[in-house]
Amino acid sequence: QVQLVESGGGLVQPGGSLRLSCVASTDTFSIYQMEWYRQAPGNEREWVASIARSGRIKYEDGFEGRFTISRDNVKNTAYLQMNNLKPEDTAVYYCNANRITGQGVRYDYWGQGTQVTVSS
């Protein structure tokens, strides 16, 4: 079992920046793919970005350039740097850790979410 704790959310003005952190309680952090999702009120949860155990990074269309995902395997932490924030970025941001075993079984773990509000 992996516990994930997000932090770094808050209220920011349009054009501002925030860095979200996700700390994982596991000694095997490096084997997990880390992802960020977000969910705005009334919307479905949407995928934002992922960073694989290899370090390969992917972004949903529209996020690359403003958002940067990274990880620190020594600190068991994943990050989401968000720049030039817009009111439509307002959402609860969730961290996800996942891995697929050699038998094809996928394990997913979720954090509790951190609120990001972009408003003047």
Side-chain angles (χ1 to χ4, degrees), residues 44-99:
E44 294 185 352
R45 189 172 297 188
E46 66 173 337
W47 174 69
V48 175
S50 66
I51 182 165
R53 54 187 291 181
S54 66
R56 184 177 67 178
I57 291 172
K58 294 182 179 180
Y59 296 95
E60 176 62 278
D61 290 344
F63 290 104
E64 189 169 9
R66 290 195 306 126
F67 290 12
T68 303
I69 189 172
S70 61
R71 66 189 296 161
D72 184 333
N73 289 340
V74 174
K75 296 182 178 179
N76 290 354
T77 303
Y79 303 97
L80 185 67
Q81 175 68 42
M82 305 185 295
N83 298 327
N84 190 24
L85 284 162
K86 305 173 181 179
E88 51 264 41
D89 294 319
T90 295
V92 178
Y93 285 72
Y94 296 91
C95 175
N96 169 273
N98 61 81
R99 70 181 182 96

